[in-house]
Amino acid sequence: PFSDIFSPAMAASGRPFAPRRAYPVSLSNRWTRFARRLALRPDVKVETMVGSTEGQAMMRPHAPCEPFDPVAKLDPRAILRLRRKFREGQFDVVQAWSTRLLTNALLASTGLREPPAIVGFVGFIGRFSRSNPEHRLVYLHPRLAAVWCNCDAARRPLVALGVPPQKLHTIYFGHPVQQRSNSARADVRQELGIPQDAVVVGFAGNMRPVKGVDVLLEAAIKLHNLPNCHWVLAGRVEDQRVEQLLRHPS
């Protein structure tokens, strides 16, 4: 992702991409694993601002880390703090992992003589509209250099909103399967009481309405007589419809 996104972001901001230079600050209250891997590169200097105590503990052995968790999408204190940070650190790239972080970072960079290239992230299929001032403020902001989309379905609404396609980069989430052993797989199944030969259908992530977990559960209910099939959900439930379906007797 570094070369796929940050290089075009630097070019879009009019600043040359020079390997071996110090690069980005990652503003993140999540995704600390990405920042940790980035910090291992010899040509990258990473500083992080993380909201959760768990994320801070993960990052501090690898890169400078500060507590940071804006209370709103327009947080004056957070904007002032970021503005000072940008001036002092002279960062090339800022990666913001949420709309709240992105909005504050964009506003903090306004008017700076040498602002960083700011990169956003969209991991959901949104309904964006030009009539929504928040959408225009964030995704059509001239300081937004690039957006990392985790699928084409997340990218298309931004194109329809009017974001230049060259700013949108689709990079799918993946998992390094070589790091998973058969014994670890067996341990998880044993812990959950699932037979080793069973078919498992799973979902991992926050269960919001846009995620479609309700559709998955409706399918599970219709297929409840399917032999040797188990359905596993892992994550925080933030959808009332999902809560209702989880109580279904099937």
Side-chain angles (χ1 to χ4, degrees):
F2 182 81
S3 57
D4 290 345
I5 297 178
F6 294 151
S7 301
M10 293 292 293
S13 66
R15 303 166 73 177
F17 180 84
R20 299 289 173 185
R21 282 191 59 188
Y23 277 95
V25 55
S26 173
L27 303 182
S28 174
N29 61 348
R30 303 167 62 190
W31 309 96
T32 49
R33 292 181 182 176
F34 171 83
R36 285 173 60 187
R37 292 178 66 88
L38 197 59
L40 295 174
R41 293 181 54 131
D43 57 336
V44 180
K45 178 182 178 181
V46 174
E47 292 188 26
T48 60
M49 301 175 75
V50 183
S52 68
T53 54
E54 295 85 358
Q56 294 166 28
M58 288 177 63
M59 279 308 308
R60 285 199 173 106
H62 305 276
C65 180
E66 299 178 19
F68 185 71
D69 193 11
V71 298
K73 292 179 180 177
L74 294 175
D75 184 338
R77 291 185 177 181
I79 293 170
L80 289 174
R81 182 177 170 191
L82 287 175
R83 193 172 181 83
R84 287 194 297 269
K85 189 74 176 177
F86 293 168
R87 282 175 171 167
E88 295 169 0
Q90 297 182 334
F91 301 105
D92 295 290
V93 179
V94 170
Q95 170 73 65
W97 290 113
S98 70
T99 304
R100 180 182 298 181
L101 294 170
L102 180 59
T103 305
N104 285 290
L106 288 168
L107 293 174
S109 70
T110 302
L112 293 180
R113 182 175 298 178
E114 294 186 5
I118 297 180
V119 178
F121 171 81
V122 173
F124 59 91
I125 302 172
R127 297 178 180 178
F128 300 105
S129 171
R130 282 182 172 269
S131 61
N132 187 317
E134 178 185 325
H135 296 165
R136 295 199 309 271
L137 172 66
V138 177
Y139 297 105
L140 299 181
H141 196 289
R143 293 294 187 195
L144 182 62
V147 180
W148 170 354
C149 306
N150 75 338
C151 62
D152 282 335
R155 181 180 185 272
R156 286 192 290 269
L158 291 171
V159 174
L161 178 65
V163 180
Q166 64 270 21
K167 286 189 175 184
L168 304 173
H169 305 266
T170 300
I171 298 181
Y172 295 94
F173 285 151
H175 184 77
V177 294
Q178 66 273 16
Q179 294 182 8
R180 295 288 296 177
S181 64
N182 290 332
S183 60
R185 179 175 181 269
D187 291 343
V188 171
R189 286 179 174 244
Q190 183 177 2
E191 181 182 346
L192 297 177
I194 299 174
Q196 297 299 320
D197 61 344
V199 174
V200 178
V201 181
F203 173 88
N206 292 332
M207 289 167 248
R208 305 188 185 98
V210 297
K211 297 292 185 71
V213 179
D214 56 328
V215 178
L216 180 66
L217 289 175
E218 289 170 358
I221 292 170
K222 291 181 180 180
L223 298 173
H224 71 277
N225 288 325
L226 198 65
N228 205 24
C229 182
H230 292 253
W231 303 75
V232 179
L233 303 180
R236 186 168 59 248
V237 179
E238 300 175 2
D239 185 344
Q240 292 183 353
R241 176 61 178 159
V242 169
E243 292 178 348
Q244 294 172 357
L245 291 170
L246 287 171
R247 292 193 291 268
H248 194 279
S250 296

